[in-house]
């Protein structure tokens, strides 16, 4: 517990250090404006030899000191002038100043402030949920993330809400309570409070079963972010034909996210990268992980990131990462990650690379329970830094299925459509379909079923043979390309399949 209370001090400490270092302008990225302001107020009152005056500003209140507002300073320019002209040390917190960045004078004044405050103990904090900065001042502003409530703080909130509902019974032992609190980790203090209040209002008894309700809360948060899709996956490992190496690897890590694993000092899993030939089950694997690990699956829409609809690509990616962290433990699914790098025809290729390296840095340093599952088809487009040891826990190569795997895939897709595979010569089908992908095998089963249905009779081998004879698999039309991919993967990735003849 000692480390947790230390962690609790971390926002306070971080802010104190910035002020002590005479940083002029700090951008605090947080959804929790009140919590940021409370912490700043605390720092101003206690962190230094004598208390430092703490001013807040908003467009409705103007500059305000301990509740006393100055209506003359409602205009952002007047407020910034207040910062410039006031003598002595002070701290300022500006709410939503970003709404005024369209005004060139505001931007100019910020730059003046940057110069003027360098030498004095005066710091201005810009507080907002997303990072919005005009390029002109980017270099002058220190950007920090405000950490979300720790388990100790969540426990305090739980306690304060529970006190308000004296009739409710709390049926959890200490371990269960710890697990329960963890399911709230990642929410802001306000979100924790409102989720718990809703829970206490709707239940007489609070127990482990109550965490379902919290899951729904998280779904809402993801939806609001607008950049991630919350995917409910029910894909079971049995629906995944072959890929035994991969399945074994995943099963070993099923409990990586439990508190026992943390206590045992196991390293935090970072994620996996699935590379390989298209249609061989990479996306399916990601869905199977989410279902097996009972974690929310959040698909990042790369095209949306680059479209500008969710702000600059940097801001959009930042929102995505923070949202994934806020509902952690979660799986962040970056499908076809190469689209982020190749950036075909997109303007400013340099920007793409920069965004990507921001993402890599986040992956490298992340301490949150976010497991990244990325897939890539165009593997030779991937930059070497992505493949460096330490980024992903493992890079898997998902190859065209082997003979045994093709039998399994046929069986999976027949069974899925209510056909007992035991009545069919699966081995023979697998032999005829050498070089076919899982997607192509599925396609073959589907067209066989249509064929039989067209003649109003049960599916038999002739339908399936007919379907196989009509299809030319990708591995034939793209033989050269597939050879290249295999050669690439030979030295860089672990095979997802156990092997065997092709
Ligand atoms: N190993 C497999 N087992 C069962 N079905 C598979 C397998 N590989 C591919 N499929 C089928 O093909 C479809 C497409 O696969 P997908 O995971 O999207 O391929 P990728 O992401 O590698 O391009 C899947 O939805 C599934 O129906
Ligand atoms: Mg895919």
């Amino acid at each position: 517990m000692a480390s947790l209370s230390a962690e609790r001090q971390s926002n306070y400490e971080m802010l104190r250090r910035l002020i002590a270092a005479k940083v002029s302008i700090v951008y605090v990225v947080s959804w929790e404006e009140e919590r940021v302001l409370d912490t700043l107020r605390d720092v101003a009152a206690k962190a230094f030899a004598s208390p430092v005056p703490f001013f807040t500003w908003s467009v409705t209140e103007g500059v305000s000191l301990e509740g006393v507002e100055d209506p003359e300073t409602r205009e952002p320019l007047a407020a910034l002038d207040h910062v410039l002209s006031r003598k002595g040390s002070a701290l300022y917190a500006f709410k939503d100043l970003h709404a005024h960045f369209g005004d060139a004078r505001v931007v100019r004044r910020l730059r003046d402030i940057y110069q003027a405050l360098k030498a004095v103990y005066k710091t201005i904090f810009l507080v907002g949920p997303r990072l919005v900065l005009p390029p002109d001042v980017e270099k002058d502003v220190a950007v920090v993330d405000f950490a979300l409530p720790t388990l100790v703080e969540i426990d305090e909130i739980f306690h304060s809400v529970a006190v308000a509902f004296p009739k409710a019974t709390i049926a959890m032992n200490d371990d269960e309570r710890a697990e329960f609190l963890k399911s709230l980790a990642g929410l802001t203090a306000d979100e924790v409070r409102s989720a718990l209040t809703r829970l206490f209002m709707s239940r007489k008894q609070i127990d482990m079963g109550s965490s379902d309700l919290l899951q729904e809360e998280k779904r809402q948060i993801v939806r609001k972010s607008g950049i991630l899709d919350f995917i409910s996956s029910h894909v079971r490992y049995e629906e995944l034909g072959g890929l035994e190496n991969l399945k074994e690897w995943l099963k070993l890590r099923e409990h990586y996210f439990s508190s026992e694993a943390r206590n045992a000092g196991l390293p935090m899993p970072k994620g996996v990268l699935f590379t390989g030939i298209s249609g061989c089950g990479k996306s399916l694997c990601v869905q199977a992980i989410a279902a097996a690990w009972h974690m929310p699956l959040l698909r990042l829409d790369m095209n949306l990131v680059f479209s500008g609809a969710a702000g600059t690509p940097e801001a959009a990616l930042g929102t995505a990462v923070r949202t994934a962290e806020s509902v952690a433990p979660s799986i962040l699914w970056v499908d076809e990650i190469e689209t982020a790098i190749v950036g075909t025809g997109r303007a400013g290729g340099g920007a793409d690379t920069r965004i990507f390296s921001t993402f890599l840095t986040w992956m490298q340093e992340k301490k949150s329970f976010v497991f990244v599952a990325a897939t890539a088809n165009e593997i030779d487009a991937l930059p070497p830094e992505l493949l460096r040891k330490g980024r992903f826990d493992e890079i898997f190569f998902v190859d065209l299925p082997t003979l045994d795997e093709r039998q399994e895939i046929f069986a999976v897709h027949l069974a899925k459509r209510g056909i007992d595979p035991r009545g069919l010569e699966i081995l023979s089908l697998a032999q005829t379909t050498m070089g076919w992908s899982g997607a192509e095998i599925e396609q073959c089963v589907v067209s066989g079923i249509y064929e039989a249905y067209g003649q109003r009779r049960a599916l038999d081998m002739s339908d399936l043979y007919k379907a196989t004879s009509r299809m030319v698999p990708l591995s034939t039309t793209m033989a050269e390309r597939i050879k290249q991919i295999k050669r690439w993967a030979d030295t860089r990735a672990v095979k997802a399949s156990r092997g065997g003849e092709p």
Side-chain angles (χ1 to χ4, degrees):
M1 275 325 204
S3 70
L4 278 175
S5 12
E7 196 182 307
R8 192 181 167 197
Q9 295 292 317
S10 67
N11 286 320
Y12 180 97
E13 245 324 283
M14 168 186 73
L15 297 174
R16 190 194 64 77
R17 272 196 223 123
L18 288 163
I19 298 161
K22 296 187 186 159
V23 174
S24 305
I25 311 174
V26 179
Y27 202 117
V28 186
V29 183
S30 171
W31 290 93
E32 305 182 272
E33 192 177 85
E34 276 318 306
R35 221 173 124 241
V36 175
L37 260 49
D38 286 346
T39 311
L40 276 172
R41 200 168 285 119
D42 245 21
V43 172
K46 292 186 269 185
F48 304 100
S50 54
V52 183
F54 174 56
F55 297 91
T56 59
W57 175 84
S58 71
V59 73
T60 49
E61 294 171 353
V63 172
S64 151
L65 177 66
E66 285 163 25
V68 183
E69 297 168 16
D70 175 2
E72 299 297 305
T73 52
R74 282 190 192 139
E75 285 301 314
L77 269 185
L80 293 170
D81 284 338
H82 187 283
V83 176
L84 276 171
S85 59
R86 191 185 177 280
K87 298 267 177 300
S89 346
L91 299 182
Y92 287 83
F94 276 64
K95 304 181 197 174
D96 300 324
L97 187 68
H98 61 83
H100 308 275
F101 287 161
D103 184 342
R105 292 169 307 169
V106 171
V107 175
R108 178 66 247 173
R109 201 66 102 240
L110 265 181
R111 303 205 61 187
D112 297 339
I113 286 185
Y114 169 72
Q115 289 301 336
L117 269 48
K118 263 179 171 174
V120 291
Y121 286 109
K122 211 195 265 184
T123 300
I124 115 167
F125 292 88
L126 312 178
V127 186
R130 312 201 153 79
L131 181 62
V132 189
L133 273 180
D136 294 3
V137 292
E138 244 170 36
K139 285 203 192 62
D140 303 341
V141 177
V143 179
V144 297
D145 276 312
F146 202 73
L148 290 162
T150 62
L151 290 179
V152 172
E153 289 170 283
I154 294 173
D155 198 19
E156 284 168 8
I157 300 171
F158 182 86
H159 190 73
S160 72
V161 175
V163 167
F165 293 88
K167 288 209 189 93
T169 6
I170 296 166
M172 290 186 281
N173 62 30
D174 283 354
D175 284 350
E176 287 173 339
R177 183 169 166 134
E179 278 300 309
F180 178 84
L181 293 174
K182 226 176 59 195
S183 69
L184 288 158
L187 301 182
T188 66
D190 281 346
E191 285 163 347
V192 171
R193 195 168 296 107
S194 79
L196 285 174
T197 306
R198 244 182 306 225
L199 190 63
F200 273 92
M201 285 199 312
S202 63
R203 309 265 163 110
K204 287 199 182 67
Q205 175 170 314
I206 309 298
D207 50 31
M208 284 310 283
S210 317
S211 49
D212 291 354
L213 226 87
L214 303 175
Q215 204 61 29
E216 183 50 34
E217 202 82 15
K218 293 189 169 185
R219 182 187 291 269
Q220 297 294 341
I221 292 170
V222 171
R223 203 171 286 148
K224 270 191 282 180
S225 82
I227 194 119
L228 295 170
D229 285 326
F230 194 111
I231 296 179
S232 307
S233 166
H234 304 286
V235 176
R236 290 166 297 124
Y237 283 146
E238 300 84 82
E239 293 170 53
L240 210 56
L243 311 175
E244 292 303 327
N245 268 350
L246 168 68
K247 285 180 194 164
E248 194 169 287
W249 189 93
L250 291 171
K251 280 179 188 156
L252 268 176
R253 280 155 185 81
E254 211 147 284
H255 302 293
Y256 254 48
F257 291 90
S258 67
S259 42
E260 296 93 81
R262 293 282 75 70
N263 294 339
L266 286 178
M268 182 78 79
K270 292 174 194 301
V272 277
L273 172 62
F274 295 118
T275 64
I277 295 157
S278 148
C280 289
K282 295 184 295 297
S283 301
L284 199 63
C285 288
V286 176
Q287 296 173 62
I289 302 178
W293 292 0
H294 305 287
M295 284 172 25
L297 178 60
L298 315 172
R299 190 175 54 199
L300 178 60
D301 187 339
M302 270 300 171
N303 290 317
L304 196 61
V305 168
F306 287 105
S307 71
T312 63
E314 276 100 337
L317 205 57
T319 308
V321 160
R322 261 193 302 282
T323 308
E325 288 187 330
S326 78
V327 299
S330 62
I331 298 177
L332 181 62
W333 178 10
V334 191
D335 208 19
E336 305 188 356
I337 194 168
E338 69 269 26
T339 51
I341 308 148
V342 190
T344 32
R346 243 183 256 121
D352 288 2
T353 327
R354 200 178 63 226
I355 293 154
F356 201 67
S357 50
T358 315
F359 183 71
L360 288 181
T361 312
W362 169 76
M363 262 193 82
Q364 183 92 15
E365 294 171 356
K366 89 186 159 58
K367 303 226 162 32
S368 49
F369 291 75
V370 177
F371 187 80
V372 178
T375 73
N377 292 320
E378 300 295 319
I379 45 185
D380 24 23
L382 301 178
E385 59 266 34
L386 178 71
L387 307 170
R388 253 209 325 260
K389 275 279 163 221
R391 300 288 194 206
F392 291 99
D393 298 313
E394 200 62 270
I395 299 174
F396 281 103
F397 176 56
V398 183
D399 201 349
L400 289 166
T402 63
L403 181 68
D404 286 345
E405 291 180 316
R406 291 197 298 279
Q407 295 191 63
E408 281 188 40
I409 299 172
F410 265 111
V412 164
H413 285 289
L414 287 163
K416 232 178 162 173
R417 291 161 180 88
I419 298 161
D420 186 353
R422 280 171 304 186
L424 295 159
E425 295 148 36
I426 299 291
L427 175 60
S428 155
L429 281 170
Q431 281 162 342
T432 350
T433 51
M434 188 172 137
W436 288 41
S437 72
E440 287 161 342
I441 292 175
E442 178 181 24
Q443 197 45 51
C444 167
V445 168
V446 171
S447 37
I449 290 173
Y450 272 118
E451 187 72 34
Y453 182 78
Q455 303 179 29
R456 298 282 181 270
R457 55 173 177 73
L459 175 90
D460 63 28
M461 287 302 291
S462 69
D463 303 314
L464 292 166
Y465 281 131
K466 201 163 171 189
T468 59
S469 68
R470 273 197 303 240
M471 252 166 79
V472 181
L474 222 60
S475 63
T476 307
T477 53
M478 293 179 54
E480 224 8 76
R481 177 72 188 129
I482 286 178
K483 252 192 232 150
Q484 273 174 1
I485 294 179
K486 281 187 201 254
R487 222 175 294 131
W488 181 97
D490 236 7
T491 51
R492 295 174 179 88
V494 172
K495 286 193 172 56
S497 309
R498 180 135 309 149
E501 75 251 64

